Amino acid sequence: MTDAPFKIERLRKRPDFLAAARASSFARGAVVVQMRRRGDDDAGVRVGFTATRKIGGAVVRNRAKRRLRAAAQQLIPQFGAPGCDYVLIARSGAPTRPWARLLDDVKSALISLATESERQATASATSPSPPA
């Protein structure tokens, strides 16, 4: 996570994960990616990873999160938006999915979230505000 034009940090606190859960999300294959624009002056990106017990025991969950961390390390510098928090959630296929397909899942989710975010920003900027 070093070639990015912005600083990349890890999400570690529960309130940050909960805030991302209330924001936009996109599911692709073996991963769900949630994105939240922080709205502060920090241009850095924060990334968190999670896997529920539904996908397996501790060994399987750790493997899934390890694979998601490696995918994020490759893709967030290229497709991540500055000033955003991302949470990557492992789904049932994440530990065993072929690496190229897992990368494609994460990449397409990041691109879809960026497109949706731009569309929402454009819509809110062009819509007239209601009279007071």
Side-chain angles (χ1 to χ4, degrees):
M1 293 193 206
T2 58
D3 296 341
F6 41 78
K7 186 177 174 184
I8 299 177
E9 298 175 350
R10 290 278 303 274
L11 281 178
R12 297 187 188 275
K13 297 185 179 176
R14 180 173 166 78
D16 294 331
F17 281 88
L18 294 176
R22 289 188 300 268
S24 300
S25 67
F26 218 86
R28 280 285 193 255
V31 68
V32 175
V33 180
Q34 300 170 335
M35 181 185 89
R36 176 181 81 98
R37 291 204 179 276
R38 285 191 310 272
D40 58 8
D41 294 335
D42 185 15
V45 171
R46 300 187 306 176
V47 184
F49 307 93
T50 186
T52 65
R53 288 173 53 185
K54 287 182 184 179
I55 68 168
V59 173
V60 175
R61 291 194 311 270
N62 288 338
R63 179 178 297 131
K65 288 190 287 187
R66 201 167 40 245
R67 295 183 85 210
L68 290 180
R69 281 193 293 271
Q73 186 176 9
Q74 285 185 6
L75 298 173
I76 293 289
Q78 298 169 10
F79 300 104
C84 291
D85 289 347
Y86 292 95
V87 175
L88 280 71
I89 303 170
R91 293 171 83 181
S92 62
T96 57
R97 195 162 184 89
W99 179 243
R101 290 191 62 197
L102 184 65
L103 284 176
D104 187 48
D105 292 344
V106 174
K107 179 180 172 182
S108 64
L110 288 171
I111 291 170
S112 298
L113 282 170
T115 304
E116 179 182 327
S117 177
E118 289 173 12
R119 191 174 335 129
Q120 288 177 353
T122 304
S124 66
T126 59
S127 66
S129 60

